Amino acid sequence: MSEFSAQDVVFMQIALDLAQQGQFTTTPNPSVGCVIVKAGHIVGKGFHFKAGEPHAEVMALREAGENARGATAYVTLEPCSHFGRTPPCAKGLIEAGVVKVVSAMHDPNPQVAGKGLQMLTENGIESAVGLLAEKAEWLNRGFLKRMRTGKPFVQLKMAMSLDGRTALANGESKWITNALSRADVQTERAKASAILSTSQTVIADDPLLNVRWEQLPEETQQIYPIANLRQPIRVILDSQHQVKATQCLFEIESPVWLVGKNTRDLTGYPNFCTHIQLADSTQYLHDLLFELGRRQINTLWIEAGATLAGSLIEQNLVDELIIYTAPKLLGDDARGLCKLTNLTQLSDATLWKLHSIERFGDDIKSIYHPIVTEKKC
């Protein structure tokens, strides 16, 4: 970090703020921001809005024009070096006459992975990497995990009462949390590439599992006109083929992937409905995550019942646990948060580290990350 000045930090933070504006739209691409600086002044800035559209560097260079010659580019991710849907950004920076490129981090995409910076160096452009890397990693944690492991970043969302209950004994659960918490859920859904649930949840609640953009904060709606936005893919575990074409899921014209172990006839279902067949195995959930990663799902937001939640936790498949707690008591007969079947002693319990706490009225949103511990022989 010593090689970077305070001014470098300021410009990279601006680039990160720009990158964040693509958080609802860029999937399966990463969110990237770029700032072009000359003589201490910003002459161009941009961010990547959507896959297939110009990358952040291109947008910033367009704004900078001839001022890009002799300037420094601050980019939140290593410039790409390959032809995809768009030309390589490293080549664009070279042709524009930029003399230095500062990247927050390397791109783990095998098609890039250092090649972008190498291309710059070979063309006489100074480069540096590592400025505000932790913030850049956090912004694109879903994309980065998929590139590094082949699996999406898994977020398990649960809502509970003070005594850890999710519904009354009769199944009534609307609403445990308040309107502010539910609006925040819409924001979190909007960031996800896909939402995962089960046929049991779909049958019991008949949800849309979509993003209700009108519930997002006004400032968000002003930045992102609804017409430009997307709905996350709805992924439903439905091994018994219980989800019918009449479910509310299909009222929203957005992809639905029904996952099962057997072949399925989708006659009568909308054309945006797809069946994913996975072989039955003890690694079924692992296989599902790899399949979703193969299908370019970066971040997977999960809203389901206690059984799936418990299975994901027991198999160490949750990267982030998000719990909304309401100031209510539902009692012993109410339904629990998750089913953990293999827990016989407290020392075997999964440990979690508190990442953040946020208040929504009288509700509390807590985010936890798993603590990886070595098991004793």
Side-chain angles (χ1 to χ4, degrees), residues 180-225:
L180 293 173
S181 291
R182 298 197 299 275
D184 185 67
V185 169
Q186 299 305 313
T187 300
E188 295 288 3
R189 282 182 176 182
K191 297 175 186 177
S193 305
I195 299 171
L196 175 67
S197 194
T198 65
S199 57
Q200 290 91 338
T201 297
V202 169
I203 292 167
D205 300 335
D206 204 16
L208 291 168
L209 289 177
N210 67 322
V211 176
R212 293 183 279 279
W213 294 107
E214 68 277 4
Q215 292 185 16
L216 270 64
E218 286 187 16
E219 59 270 21
T220 301
Q221 295 183 44
Q222 291 171 1
I223 296 174
Y224 306 94

Side-chain angles (χ1 to χ4, degrees), residues 301-315:
W301 175 264
I302 300 176
E303 295 187 29
T307 300
L308 178 58
S311 296
L312 289 163
I313 290 170
E314 287 183 328
Q315 296 180 44

